[in-house]
Amino acid sequence: MTDDVRNIVLGVIAAGLSASLGWLARTYLWKRKLRRKQAFFGLPDHSESLLVVNRDAGSPDLAVHRYDVFALLELSALIKDCNAHADVITQDAARQGFGERTEFCVGGPGSNRRMAAHMQAMLPGVRVNVDPEPGPDRLAFQIGSERHRMQPGVAEYVLLARLTAGQPGLGRPVFLFCGQRAITNQAATRYLARNHERLYRKHGDSSFALLLKVVNSQAYGPDVVELVADVTRAAQTPLPEGATRTTHRAGQ
């Protein structure tokens, strides 16, 4: 074998080894990323999850608002990416216990009784004004001592929470998307899809509750979202009787 032939053979072998190592490295990183995503959402391969949809509070029929449908579609894509499956049920048909399957619950407590039950049990520091009468505090959030009012189409709030029963890692999580309007529910699902890696690095598989603000939805839809605060501690601490409340108008 001449030197030229030997160099060509060695070059081919080196290129093959380099390509194989590169493929193995990419596969390892992809699988690690998938496992982290599955751990955060509580969705191992071929697992089952539950999508709990609310009803359109502005409709006399048992309809689902189109923005909530969009939210369900985005969540369905996340679930599929985890190699898992989802069942879609209405808020009045959900009967399973907490932690049996990963659950994604969409809509405020006024239109989703499942959401109301979760908040009462696990977020006792949060109150949502579901009074149908118009007024400045309609649909306002009270979290701890602070109240957050909505300015429709300009600045609206949504609570994004990941909740686990008992110790982290035991049982499947419940994700809550509790917004002042349907478009904010979709904004929260989109925020979760874009930021789940960062949220996993910060919170791991522990519970958290984030208050988000959707900015100028009448122009930008659900795309412009700001993190107002991590309200986990306040949301999980029961409100005292006669607590002093500080009002925050939307946009301030």
Side-chain angles (χ1 to χ4, degrees), residues 209-241:
L210 307 177
L211 181 65
L212 308 175
K213 183 167 69 174
V214 183
V215 179
N216 202 1
S217 64
Q218 62 188 354
Y220 303 126
D223 285 334
V224 182
V225 180
E226 297 178 357
L227 173 62
V228 177
D230 183 331
V231 296
T232 306
R233 179 174 297 180
Q236 293 180 334
T237 303
L239 288 172
E241 294 294 333

Side-chain angles (χ1 to χ4, degrees), residues 119-126 143-144 161-164 206-209 230-239:
M119 294 179 69
Q120 183 178 4
M122 293 173 286
L123 298 177
V126 180
I143 305 175
R162 181 190 191 275
L163 304 175
T164 56
S206 301
S207 297
F208 64 80
D230 183 331
V231 296
T232 306
R233 179 174 297 180
Q236 293 180 334
T237 303
L239 288 172

